[in-house]
Amino acid sequence: MREEDLEIAIKVVIVGNGAVGKSSMIQRYCKGTFTKDYKKTIGVDFLERQIECEGEDVRLMLWDTAGQEEFDAITKAYYRGAQACVLAFSTTDRDSFDAIHSWELKVEDECGEIPTVLVQNKIDLMDQSVVDPEEADLLSRALGCRLLRTSVKEDVNVNTVFRHLASRCLAELRHQEEEYDIASNGIHPLTISAFGPMQHNQKSNHTNGTIVLRSGKLKTRKKKNVFRNACRIL
């Protein structure tokens, strides 16, 4: 199978308090639709979209998780294996802003440190804002991630959120490939993974032309923004 026939699949989790616009965000991005009627997500919801990013075919698998505490036991299981994260809060909901650190820790507990973007939604309601712009800037710097201000209703910066994450993930994957290229003296095996090269006779579940990037916590030490168990057929 030719390398140009392959696609890369990236799992993205969207987390934050209820009613900040998580479901509306992925509906807008994947279907181009918006509804102002709020409907609480029960557990998790899932949508996906195929894009081209930096010359690669990328399938973004977007997992929308419930923001209510009663669903924590359900939603935490769906964080596992994520390679990227959206931390969302609402311009008009102070509690959702104050909860961002808690959401970031929940994801990190399951996934380690992965490419993340902080999203301030509902900027069409800036006249009702309860979050100072400088506070949001300070939070993004404290988290070490980019801040993007969006309006799902007006379709402002929604595409930018997911394209930014896709670009970050591709950069991580390319960095890993370079490391293995050096380690193997420039000779790539058929498949390379974060735990070492696979032999040609080892089984692979990537024969359908999809490269699924896998994530998981390292037990020995944390390494920022690394795809654990990331596999790519060369």
Side-chain angles (χ1 to χ4, degrees):
M1 180 175 290
R2 298 174 303 171
E3 181 176 358
E4 57 266 28
D5 292 333
L6 300 175
E7 70 174 4
I8 295 172
I10 301 172
K11 178 178 179 179
V12 182
V13 289
I14 297 90
V15 302
N17 282 12
V20 300
K22 301 186 301 295
S23 298
S24 296
M25 185 181 299
I26 68 169
Q27 289 284 335
R28 169 67 82 182
Y29 183 65
C30 295
K31 297 182 178 181
T33 60
F34 174 78
T35 176
K36 63 181 180 180
D37 297 324
Y38 173 63
K39 183 179 180 181
K40 181 167 68 174
T41 301
I42 306 298
V44 296
D45 197 4
F46 170 81
L47 286 173
E48 64 180 22
R49 177 173 168 178
Q50 185 96 12
I51 65 170
E52 188 278 332
C53 183
E54 299 179 9
E56 301 278 5
D57 290 323
V58 178
R59 179 157 55 95
L60 292 172
M61 303 179 293
L62 309 179
W63 292 82
D64 167 31
T65 59
Q68 288 75 23
E69 189 173 346
E70 63 263 30
F71 297 116
D72 267 6
I74 300 173
T75 57
K76 282 182 68 176
Y78 287 92
Y79 298 161
R80 296 167 197 156
Q83 291 90 36
C85 174
V86 175
L87 296 171
F89 70 94
S90 168
T91 296
T92 61
D93 183 348
R94 181 72 197 189
D95 288 342
S96 71
F97 175 77
D98 293 336
I100 287 294
H101 272 297
S102 174
W103 286 110
E104 191 268 341
L105 288 173
K106 289 177 183 179
V107 174
E108 186 175 326
D109 283 346
E110 298 297 329
C111 305
E113 295 185 46
I114 56 178
T116 299
V117 63
L118 178 65
V119 171
Q120 177 180 355
N121 190 32
K122 304 186 183 181
I123 59 169
D124 51 291
L125 299 175
M126 286 299 287
D127 58 330
Q128 304 173 34
S129 178
V130 293
V131 178
D132 190 284
E134 293 177 353
E135 289 182 292
D137 290 334
L138 285 172
L139 178 59
S140 71
R141 289 198 289 271
L143 294 172
C145 64
R146 184 177 177 183
L147 168 66
L148 287 171
R149 295 180 167 93
T150 68
S151 169
V152 174
K153 180 180 178 181
E154 303 293 338
D155 197 13
V156 175
N157 276 342
V158 176
N159 284 335
T160 305
V161 169
F162 297 105
R163 184 160 288 276
H164 170 71
L165 288 177
S167 181
R168 285 282 311 280
C169 288
L170 288 173
E172 294 292 341
L173 181 57
R174 287 166 181 158
H175 178 67
Q176 272 202 345
E177 289 179 340
E178 289 171 2
E179 288 183 337
Y180 282 112
D181 191 24
I182 294 170
S184 60
N185 295 318
I187 302 174
H188 283 292
L190 175 63
T191 307
I192 52 177
S193 76
F195 293 124
M198 293 174 62
Q199 300 300 318
H200 285 255
N201 59 359
Q202 282 185 271
K203 292 182 179 180
S204 171
N205 61 354
H206 304 294
T207 55
N208 64 352
T210 299
I211 307 156
V212 180
L213 307 182
R214 291 188 175 85
S215 174
K217 291 178 290 184
L218 291 177
K219 293 182 179 180
T220 53
R221 62 186 177 89
K222 286 186 178 179
K223 187 175 181 182
K224 187 174 182 180
N225 295 339
V226 169
F227 292 116
R228 292 96 177 166
N229 278 348
C231 294
R232 177 163 188 156
I233 300 174
L234 299 174

